[in-house]
Amino acid sequence: MIGRNCHFLQSQDRTQQARFYIREAIDAGESCVVKIRNYTKEQKLFHNELYLSPVKNDLNEVTHFIGIQNDISERVRAEQELEQQYKETEEKVTDRTNMLPESEEYLSSIVETIRESLIVMDKNYKVLSAN
């Protein structure tokens, strides 16, 4: 890596918004923290959290930047799994909510057609319905 531009880590994935944030921070001489997709030399994707900070001289001029990268691939994978589970749960809730009126109608038809007396009460013995 020594002597190379770090852009090679993004391979062909050059349109990431993080790259624009990095460029803005460098141009302004400021620090930034971004999540960025990088690739190994075998082109295997991994996710990094990059902390980029300027190094300034006595005249407060930027002379260098220091970047610290942390591999957050497992965290990103866990976040994606959690998001998928959330979506699946939302779909189940929607499906069951849509099924509720049908179930209520079915139970109501049973109660109305049963020949024996049927009284539905709550836990305090308050009558909720009777046929």
Side-chain angles (χ1 to χ4, degrees):
M1 289 187 63
I2 296 175
R4 293 187 69 184
N5 187 313
C6 294
H7 292 174
F8 78 93
L9 291 170
Q10 285 88 54
S11 186
Q12 300 303 312
D13 195 0
R14 303 285 174 126
T15 60
Q16 299 178 58
Q17 190 66 37
R19 288 175 51 108
F20 299 104
Y21 294 141
I22 293 168
R23 173 53 42 206
E24 287 176 353
I26 289 172
D27 289 345
E30 297 176 348
S31 299
C32 72
V33 179
V34 296
K35 293 179 186 175
I36 192 162
R37 295 181 304 272
N38 287 331
Y39 296 84
T40 66
K41 61 184 171 183
E42 292 83 21
Q43 296 302 303
K44 182 181 175 196
L45 171 67
F46 65 101
H47 297 268
N48 268 336
E49 188 168 55
L50 170 64
Y51 295 82
L52 188 66
S53 296
V55 176
K56 298 180 179 182
N57 63 16
D58 294 339
L59 301 173
N60 205 31
E61 299 168 328
V62 176
T63 60
H64 298 80
F65 278 86
I66 294 178
I68 299 172
Q69 296 189 72
N70 295 310
D71 186 341
I72 59 167
S73 298
E74 285 301 311
R75 183 173 82 190
V76 169
R77 184 192 56 74
E79 288 170 352
Q80 290 170 342
E81 285 180 11
L82 188 59
E83 186 175 323
Q84 181 62 32
Q85 289 175 355
Y86 176 78
K87 286 179 184 176
E88 290 172 4
T89 301
E90 284 293 312
E91 289 174 7
K92 287 179 184 178
V93 168
T94 300
D95 289 345
R96 296 210 171 113
T97 300
N98 292 338
M99 290 172 52
L100 187 59
E102 294 173 13
S103 298
E104 288 175 347
E105 288 176 21
Y106 178 71
L107 289 174
S108 178
S109 68
I110 291 173
V111 169
E112 290 173 9
T113 58
I114 198 166
R115 291 183 181 186
E116 291 79 19
S117 296
L118 179 66
I119 299 173
V120 178
M121 297 181 281
D122 66 11
K123 65 180 181 178
N124 296 318
Y125 303 105
K126 178 180 173 186
V127 175
L128 300 174
S129 67
N131 66 350

